Amino acid sequence: MHSEPSETAPDINLVDPGLYSHGDPFAQWRWLRANSPVHWHPPAAELPGFWSLTRYEDIRAAYRDAETFSSAQGILLRPADHGADPGGGRTLALTDAPRHRQLRGLVDEWFAVRSVRAREAEMKAIAQRVVDEALEQGSCDFVAEIAARIPLYVICKMMGVPESDWQHLYNLTSQAFAAGDPLTRRFAHLDILGYFEKLQAEKAANPADDLVSVLATASIEGERLSPEDIILNCDNLLVGGTENTRIAASGGMLTFLRNPEQWRILVEEPDLLPSAVEEVLRWTSTATHIMRTAVRPIEIHGKSIAAGDRVVFWLPSANRDETVFDNPDRFDVSRQPNRHLTLGFGEHFCVGSMLARVELRLLYGELLRKSVDIELDGEPKLLDSIVVNGPERLQVRLTPRAA
């Protein structure tokens, strides 16, 4: 059961980016779960007002009710003066049925268990190469040099990006995701769209066995996707295939460094790696929030949500819900069961969920196989963001242990 309601309310402000880099959002989420599980957050910091859901079962139920909670009007909070998300109604992440199912049907096979397993050897080779290069440096930023490169190289290979362009896209995605200057991020993102504009045209003319070729030659109900829809979906796949895994991998490593006994357990019992990956996913909950828009009125816990209202799911809160997880504030690589919501639920369950799990398993498995000692080499820097949470920079020293 949830804890007894507390009369002393903290100052609830979940849209302050500094809360996630220097504060304690979990204190606010705990209070909301116990006292105000459907909470109206007034407009703030150029963002519109919205309802917050913080309990596991409420978020899970909303995920399942795609007929009430729409993705097509955007899945992230954005300043009101920015207007509608350009991908709304056009990309895999920002569509509702039936369009969502039609787009998903084009790429599902590429992310199915058998397809990912068939690619495991080449994914393992990528993980080995990246870890070996980091070991040669001795000291590196785990985020930039390891966690970012493995998923980017894997999705680039799947999308048919020539290996000669991987470093170029790595540079662009690093700027688009992590640059401190908003203008730099915006221009880098435009360059990514420009890259895929050129690549999709090449694949339409000369299709190959890759994801961009699939999109460039696909038809839905007899109509080819427009070039704009192809480019936006390429961008969606690139971001989805890199961002969450990058942050989960680096956030997981930071958690292991803060809980060294859990890494020692893995060293002694490597068979626990699959459950450790699930715990990393639960603990890091890389998407801090996911948004939906109510398309019809609904009442939850006595609160009336109107059609057109924005509803925000706080996933880290759901993944620490004390009614679902025993001792939820403990990081435990042997945790079973572990039905976290990090990768979504229902119709919008992450298409790349198996891929992400395998990438994390291969990365940590490679570090275990090479018996690498990992130590912090400076103070970690956390992201100032209400969208994703985790390390922005994680400087570490890597040393192969003596046999």
Side-chain angles (χ1 to χ4, degrees), residues 116-168:
V116 173
R117 283 181 177 159
R119 293 180 172 274
E120 190 161 331
E122 63 188 36
M123 292 163 63
K124 185 174 184 179
I126 288 172
Q128 289 174 343
R129 167 180 154 189
V130 169
V131 170
D132 284 345
E133 287 173 356
L135 278 169
E136 285 179 17
Q137 295 181 53
S139 177
C140 73
D141 177 2
F142 194 93
V143 182
E145 298 306 322
I146 299 178
R149 290 184 184 273
I150 292 174
L152 177 73
Y153 293 171
V154 168
I155 198 67
C156 279
K157 191 169 184 64
M158 292 174 69
M159 295 180 78
V161 174
E163 189 167 346
S164 56
D165 289 346
W166 289 5
Q167 182 63 39
H168 176 57

Side-chain angles (χ1 to χ4, degrees), residues 173-253:
T173 54
S174 297
Q175 292 174 349
F177 296 155
D181 173 29
L183 202 58
T184 300
R185 292 198 300 269
R186 177 170 173 76
F187 281 126
H189 204 177
L190 289 173
D191 284 343
I192 291 171
L193 295 175
Y195 179 86
F196 282 116
E197 180 179 18
K198 181 171 178 284
L199 186 63
Q200 66 89 20
E202 293 172 359
K203 298 293 184 179
N206 298 289
D209 185 23
D210 58 64
L211 277 165
V212 177
S213 293
V214 168
L215 294 171
T217 59
S219 295
I220 294 178
E221 295 181 343
E223 280 193 33
R224 297 282 288 269
L225 298 180
S226 71
E228 292 79 12
D229 283 4
I230 296 168
I231 294 163
L232 288 169
N233 277 285
C234 287
D235 181 57
N236 191 192
L237 286 171
L238 181 76
V239 173
T242 55
E243 179 87 332
N244 284 338
T245 307
R246 172 178 67 89
I247 297 174
S250 53
M253 182 47 61

